[in-house]
Amino acid sequence: MYLPVIAQDESGMTKVEGYVVDDVTGESLPFVNIYFKNTTVGTTSDLEGKYKIKTRKHADTLIFSMMGYHPTKVYVEKGKKYRLIIRLKEDSQTLDEVVITPDENPAHVILRKIIKNKKRNNPEQFRRFNCKTYTVLNATLTNATKDNLKLIIPPPLFKSLPVTTDSLNRPILPFYLSEKIANNYINKDGDTSQTVVVAKKVKGIVGLEDLDIEGYDNSLSAEMNFYKNYVDLFGHTFISPLASNGLVLYKYYLEDSTTVGNHMYYRIKFVPRDEKDLAFTGYFIVIKGLWAITTIDATLPKSANINYINRFKVKFDFDFINDSTLFFKSNHLEASFHYFKVKDETNRAMIEVGKTTIYSDVLLGNQAKALDTTSVLPVEAVAPDSSFLTYRNQTNLESFEKTTRVIDSTNHVFWVRAVEKTTNMFITGYFNVGKIDIGPYLGTFKTNEIEGTRLNLGLRTSEDFNPYYSVGGSIGYGFGDKEWKYSLYGQYKFKTKYRTIISGGYIKDLFLFGGYGHIKLIKENMLNTGEDSFVASIFRRVSNERRSMLSRATIAIEKEWTKGVMTKLSYNYDEIRQGLFVPFIHNGEPVNYIYNNAVNLRLRLSWKEKISDKFLRRYYLTTFYPIINLVGTFGKYSIPGYEANYFKIHLTVKHMVPVGFMRFRYVFETGYIFGEVPFPMLEFVRGNDSYGDAKYRFNLLNNATSALDKYASVMAEHHFNGLVMNKIPLINKLNLRLVMSAKYFVGTLSDKHSEVLEYPWDMHIPGNQYLELGAGFENIFQLIRIEGIWRPVPTKFPGMPVYGIRIRFEFIM
């Protein structure tokens, strides 16, 4: 086993040195764990198998252990020096023929085995499974003192808040708590998965009680599956410590090995190689032989280039379903948020969020059952506490009853209700006054060349009046053109499984040519088209008088056929009046109106998209799959002495693509107009009349400058998310993020349309193509993006700038 050389050490120190080798091959063994039994004195052998260890303690047993080998004990006498060659015998049952090269970290060996078996051990391998989940989500304002909140809440108002304390004796104000029990019937074949909520309880302030986002599953397993190479969270992509290329961005250390029952477990520590990377620090525990993870505990370092998150930690536990298969057992997430990252949270007001999911009744593969729809009962909006008692003691959350009482008390504070209304206004665009909503607020005030100053007031019936329908309208007046504008509309939402809405209305308003174009297929959540809001009025770069009066009557039915498949059929009758600065001329004669009848059919396709429905409106959130909109329009128009039919086809594809840590976004559009149409009905290229940086517009091109009847365009942005700037010393402290963009379109405009109405200006693009290139920085002070833009094509475009600097305000994580 070993060859001793013994000598007396006069200082009383026990010293042992030598080499550790394989008993059969004689090769040196690096990273062997060496320690004196019942002490904290230990070391490891180096790359050549050499070691040195010493102690003054009374220790008589030295232990040598290494993954894949039988441990060896050596007995020594205190105060003596030893030179030992230790020969370790291989344990044939340990590493399943894993080969360790002399210079390799044993944690890397284990990682390779985990990666090799990821497909087999990933819970998402199962196309079909059933499980019951209990999920609790809570949010709390911690260190809620008058001094900490004085810049947000005036002290007289703070006194009315029912602040309480937690187990750490911190003053806290809970503001959200939800519990949900659900039966999950997952069938990925044919995408027929269903989740049936059997009990739920939600308490929240300022409208949070209505928070319900479809597409976020109860466990967050889809978003936070560490068996995948990347973990998507908070709009960022983090590399998993189990990633196939994990060694590039992580350091791994074998911390411990233990035997429980018939299984040996290894504990591996991981840390990022670069503290600024979007990577975790923590540990995981793996089962030898199966190479499946039983626990993973991951924390996001504060130094990572991500905003507002001061602390983030997640822990996943897995359990045996059978002798060789593990599945989710539970997961727990906790995070704290602050505008600035702080080292010490004890004296700062923070928002803390916790989420726990517990799994039970798991059936996998062929054992999984289909949903019996005849046994599904409607879930109560508020389930009794007894429904959740079995699970609550498995969570870290403190008194549920106390939290509920505090939230209820907070909701009765008068000024909190006012905050709720204001918050909802920024989300929905409307300010609620009982059974009436006032808005949209962005259209209340605006200015333009024709109307001068324009004031507008809009009203509609609110969800408190009826949750299934709304009627409303608006009235506005321009002090420049001294003309009234108005609208009337109504919507009704059917009580069906999938969203079905019928709507209709009439509007008379001044519109910018191209303002009612296809941008609404891209910015589906926007409150207006962006050209005429009061914000755009403030930052306007050029005045644009290319406007006309539109009177439109419309009726539409929107139907969701299944998740991700929606159609909308609509009919429009339009009267377009010639503009004050834009005359309509046909054969040399003025034309007062264009009359147009059109039928539109829209098909929208998406996959695995997260959505939220509030009142009659749907909010589309995130997906990493393409979103496709296809619109066909068949119409007939007439002007005095001329009428014709036409057909339009338009395709939009929008896609956000994760590229490692980075994000690549693009929008592709193409279309064609069959037949000849009056120029206001052409496809106008979206320009930008402001100093703002418009994501889906050509920033160096004015609105209503160019029109097309055959076209294709692509707008692309690449967000480096700090990958470049994080590597530059000193500058990396600023957390800047590089962003690059390219916007291009190619298209033609036939002169045949001028036979209907003469073109009032040259609408052609020089060379029939246009390109903008941009580069800049985002995340400046966590809310500013500045981009320099250059137009290389066309080289000459009269009246349009070649270079420009644009700024955008945006909140990004």
Side-chain angles (χ1 to χ4, degrees):
M1 186 68 68
Y2 57 89
L3 300 175
V5 176
I6 304 175
Q8 187 71 36
D9 188 90
E10 296 180 357
S11 66
M13 180 82 72
T14 304
K15 297 180 180 179
V16 185
E17 63 181 58
Y19 292 84
V20 185
V21 299
D22 184 281
D23 185 56
V24 176
T25 66
E27 293 180 345
S28 301
L29 295 179
F31 305 109
V32 176
N33 295 307
I34 306 165
Y35 61 95
F36 285 103
K37 186 177 180 181
N38 298 325
T39 74
T40 59
V41 180
T43 187
T44 59
S45 57
D46 63 17
L47 295 178
E48 298 176 351
K50 188 176 180 180
Y51 68 94
K52 287 185 179 180
I53 188 171
K54 58 185 178 181
T55 183
R56 292 184 182 276
K57 296 182 178 181
H58 187 75
D60 60 1
T61 305
L62 188 63
I63 297 177
F64 297 78
S65 66
M66 183 180 183
M67 177 181 59
Y69 291 85
H70 290 288
T72 295
K73 296 180 181 179
V74 175
Y75 297 99
V76 296
E77 294 183 28
K78 186 178 184 300
K80 292 187 177 181
K81 296 174 61 177
Y82 294 84
R83 180 173 177 81
L84 306 178
I85 300 175
I86 305 298
R87 297 183 176 274
L88 296 185
K89 292 185 177 181
E90 184 177 359
D91 184 350
S92 60
Q93 299 180 354
T94 53
L95 284 182
D96 296 331
E97 300 180 356
V98 171
V99 177
I100 304 176
T101 59
D103 59 345
E104 186 170 19
N105 182 340
H108 295 178
V109 179
I110 297 175
L111 182 66
R112 288 204 307 269
K113 296 298 292 183
I114 295 171
I115 293 170
K116 182 179 179 180
N117 290 275
K118 277 203 301 183
K119 184 176 181 180
R120 182 189 70 182
N121 293 321
N122 187 350
E124 290 190 7
Q125 66 169 298
F126 298 101
R127 305 294 300 173
R128 296 179 59 205
F129 64 87
N130 302 154
C131 66
K132 176 176 283 188
T133 52
Y134 164 78
T135 303
V136 56
L137 173 64
N138 65 286
T140 302
L141 180 65
T142 62
N143 299 315
T145 64
K146 179 177 64 177
D147 290 338
N148 283 341
L149 299 173
K150 62 185 178 182
L151 297 179
I152 303 173
I153 304 174
L157 297 182
F158 178 83
K159 293 180 180 179
S160 58
L161 292 175
V163 176
T164 184
T165 57
D166 62 6
S167 59
L168 300 176
N169 204 34
R170 299 180 302 175
I172 64 169
L173 185 67
F175 60 87
Y176 183 80
L177 174 65
S178 73
E179 294 179 276
K180 185 183 293 185
I181 300 174
N183 292 325
N184 303 276
Y185 301 85
I186 307 302
N187 186 349
K188 299 178 183 178
D189 298 321
D191 195 22
T192 57
S193 302
Q194 288 185 286
T195 295
V196 179
V197 178
V198 297
K200 68 178 180 180
K201 185 174 183 180
V202 182
K203 289 288 183 180
I205 65 173
V206 294
L208 292 176
E209 192 163 326
D210 299 325
L211 182 65
D212 188 15
I213 300 176
E214 182 181 340
Y216 285 100
D217 62 24
N218 285 335
S219 66
L220 277 180
S221 60
E223 288 75 19
M224 297 194 62
N225 184 354
F226 284 96
Y227 275 106
K228 294 182 177 180
N229 286 336
Y230 297 98
V231 177
D232 297 304
L233 194 65
F234 303 116
H236 289 270
T237 298
F238 301 80
I239 189 166
S240 168
L242 307 182
S244 300
N245 60 340
L247 289 172
V248 177
L249 294 167
Y250 282 100
K251 296 178 181 179
Y252 299 88
Y253 306 92
L254 175 60
E255 287 192 316
D256 194 14
S257 62
T258 59
T259 301
V260 178
N262 296 323
H263 295 285
M264 178 174 283
Y265 298 82
Y266 299 108
R267 176 175 167 135
I268 306 293
K269 176 183 176 182
F270 52 86
V271 296
R273 291 185 179 272
D274 188 326
E275 63 177 10
K276 304 290 287 186
D277 282 341
L278 296 183
F280 298 94
T281 182
Y283 71 90
F284 57 79
I285 298 175
V286 58
I287 304 175
K288 183 206 69 170
L290 291 177
W291 306 111
I293 302 299
T294 62
T295 296
I296 184 164
D297 190 306
T299 300
L300 183 66
K302 289 185 179 181
S303 54
N305 189 349
I306 185 169
N307 297 331
Y308 313 121
I309 299 178
N310 200 63
R311 173 173 47 85
F312 176 82
K313 182 178 181 180
V314 62
K315 182 180 181 183
F316 273 71
D317 289 309
F318 302 81
D319 201 1
F320 280 99
I321 302 301
N322 53 50
D323 291 341
S324 60
T325 305
L326 284 84
F327 195 78
F328 297 113
K329 177 184 179 182
S330 65
N331 63 64
H332 178 69
L333 176 154
E334 58 185 52
S336 65
F337 298 84
H338 193 277
Y339 187 80
F340 301 104
K341 292 187 178 181
V342 296
K343 294 182 178 180
D344 186 4
E345 296 186 9
T346 57
N347 295 314
R348 295 290 189 101
M350 311 287 294
I351 292 177
E352 291 189 356
V353 176
K355 187 173 188 292
T356 299
T357 300
I358 298 170
Y359 297 79
S360 60
D361 302 338
V362 178
L363 297 174
L364 303 177
N366 294 330
Q367 295 181 338
K369 301 176 182 178
L371 173 64
D372 181 6
T373 56
T374 61
S375 64
V376 177
L377 300 175
V379 60
E380 298 179 20
V382 179
D385 282 357
S386 58
S387 305
F388 308 104
L389 292 178
T390 305
Y391 301 98
R392 286 181 176 176
N393 61 359
Q394 301 180 56
T395 71
N396 296 330
L397 192 63
E398 299 177 22
S399 173
F400 285 75
E401 294 78 8
K402 179 181 177 181
T403 299
T404 299
R405 287 196 306 270
V406 172
I407 293 174
D408 286 340
S409 298
T410 304
N411 279 328
H412 285 91
V413 177
F414 74 95
W415 63 266
V416 172
R417 295 195 298 270
V419 170
E420 175 183 358
K421 294 179 184 295
T422 305
T423 302
N424 284 334
M425 181 187 72
F426 285 107
I427 297 173
T428 66
Y430 290 84
F431 186 84
N432 175 256
V433 183
K435 296 184 178 183
I436 297 295
D437 289 336
I438 303 173
Y441 70 92
L442 285 176
T444 303
F445 166 83
K446 59 184 178 181
T447 62
N448 58 62
E449 189 74 13
I450 297 175
E451 294 178 289
T453 298
R454 157 83 177 267
L455 299 179
N456 201 75
L457 175 65
L459 301 173
R460 72 176 185 183
T461 59
S462 70
E463 188 174 9
D464 292 337
F465 182 82
N466 191 289
Y468 294 101
Y469 70 84
S470 177
V471 294
S474 66
I475 186 168
Y477 184 76
F479 290 90
D481 63 354
K482 301 186 185 305
E483 190 165 357
W484 292 94
K485 292 87 179 176
Y486 50 85
S487 69
L488 295 170
Y489 60 86
Q491 291 179 286
Y492 179 80
K493 182 178 180 180
F494 292 89
K495 300 177 183 179
T496 53
K497 177 181 179 181
Y498 294 108
R499 174 182 171 88
T500 303
I501 285 186
I502 187 170
S503 60
Y506 178 83
I507 183 172
K508 178 187 176 184
D509 206 345
L510 196 68
F511 80 103
L512 180 70
F513 291 124
Y516 283 83
H518 295 110
I519 192 170
K520 290 184 178 180
L521 302 179
I522 305 170
K523 298 177 65 175
E524 298 179 279
N525 297 330
M526 67 181 183
L527 299 176
N528 60 36
T529 58
E531 304 95 348
D532 282 340
S533 70
F534 69 82
V535 177
S537 299
I538 295 172
F539 294 99
R540 179 167 290 125
R541 177 175 51 87
V542 294
S543 296
N544 200 323
E545 72 281 355
R546 293 171 178 174
R547 303 169 187 268
S548 184
M549 187 67 71
L550 171 68
S551 298
R552 169 174 288 181
T554 183
I555 186 170
I557 181 168
E558 176 184 327
K559 181 172 177 59
E560 182 183 30
W561 298 92
T562 186
K563 289 183 179 180
V565 180
M566 183 274 286
T567 58
K568 184 175 183 178
L569 179 65
S570 62
Y571 164 77
N572 296 334
Y573 171 73
D574 298 338
E575 293 182 359
I576 307 173
R577 192 179 76 192
Q578 68 173 335
L580 181 64
F581 298 101
V582 185
F584 295 171
I585 305 295
H586 174 69
N587 290 336
E589 297 294 327
V591 173
N592 291 326
Y593 285 94
I594 304 169
Y595 302 96
N596 178 52
N597 291 272
V599 176
N600 308 280
L601 179 61
R602 173 189 175 190
L603 171 65
R604 186 185 191 276
L605 302 174
S606 65
W607 291 264
K608 298 183 179 180
E609 185 176 24
K610 298 168 181 61
I611 58 176
S612 179
D613 287 331
K614 187 170 181 62
F615 193 19
L616 301 176
R617 189 172 176 191
R618 168 156 291 182
Y619 297 88
Y620 297 101
L621 303 179
T622 61
T623 179
F624 290 129
Y625 293 86
I627 299 171
I628 299 172
N629 275 282
L630 180 64
V631 181
T633 301
F634 176 78
K636 181 177 182 178
Y637 65 87
S638 65
I639 60 175
Y642 192 90
E643 64 179 34
N645 299 325
Y646 66 92
F647 179 71
K648 296 181 179 181
I649 187 75
H650 179 90
L651 172 70
T652 296
V653 180
K654 181 173 66 172
H655 193 190
M656 178 174 66
V657 185
V659 185
F661 293 130
M662 302 174 287
R663 288 284 191 274
F664 177 73
R665 304 172 188 263
Y666 71 87
V667 174
F668 171 76
E669 297 177 273
T670 187
Y672 191 85
I673 300 176
F674 297 87
E676 61 275 358
V677 298
F679 73 84
M681 296 166 57
L682 292 169
E683 182 71 15
F684 281 85
V685 180
R686 294 188 302 273
N688 181 11
D689 296 336
S690 75
Y691 289 103
D693 183 16
K695 186 180 296 186
Y696 301 115
R697 296 178 178 274
F698 291 90
N699 284 299
L700 300 182
L701 184 68
N702 295 343
N703 270 314
T705 297
S706 301
L708 305 165
D709 59 7
K710 181 170 60 176
Y711 55 91
S713 72
V714 63
M715 297 185 176
E717 288 187 344
H718 192 78
H719 301 260
F720 288 84
N721 285 345
L723 189 64
V724 175
M725 307 308 295
N726 288 349
K727 310 301 181 183
I728 303 176
L730 299 180
I731 292 179
N732 59 8
K733 303 297 182 181
L734 300 175
N735 284 336
L736 298 178
R737 301 172 188 172
L738 179 65
V739 61
M740 302 182 72
S741 66
K743 299 179 180 181
Y744 173 79
F745 75 80
V746 59
T748 58
L749 174 62
S750 171
D751 288 335
K752 66 182 180 180
H753 306 289
S754 64
E755 298 174 4
V756 183
L757 291 181
E758 296 177 9
Y759 297 155
W761 65 88
D762 184 5
M763 297 184 178
H764 297 83
I765 290 288
N768 295 327
Q769 57 182 334
Y770 183 98
L771 173 65
E772 285 182 3
L773 300 176
F777 300 103
E778 56 187 354
N779 203 43
I780 302 171
F781 304 119
Q782 300 183 182
L783 55 82
I784 297 174
R785 166 175 165 170
I786 297 179
E787 185 175 15
I789 303 170
W790 170 48
R791 190 201 73 226
V793 177
T795 55
K796 294 182 179 181
F797 198 153
M800 299 298 127
V802 178
Y803 303 97
I805 296 177
R806 298 292 181 263
I807 185 170
R808 183 192 307 170
F809 296 91
E810 57 185 1
F811 287 93
I812 55 176
M813 296 293 288

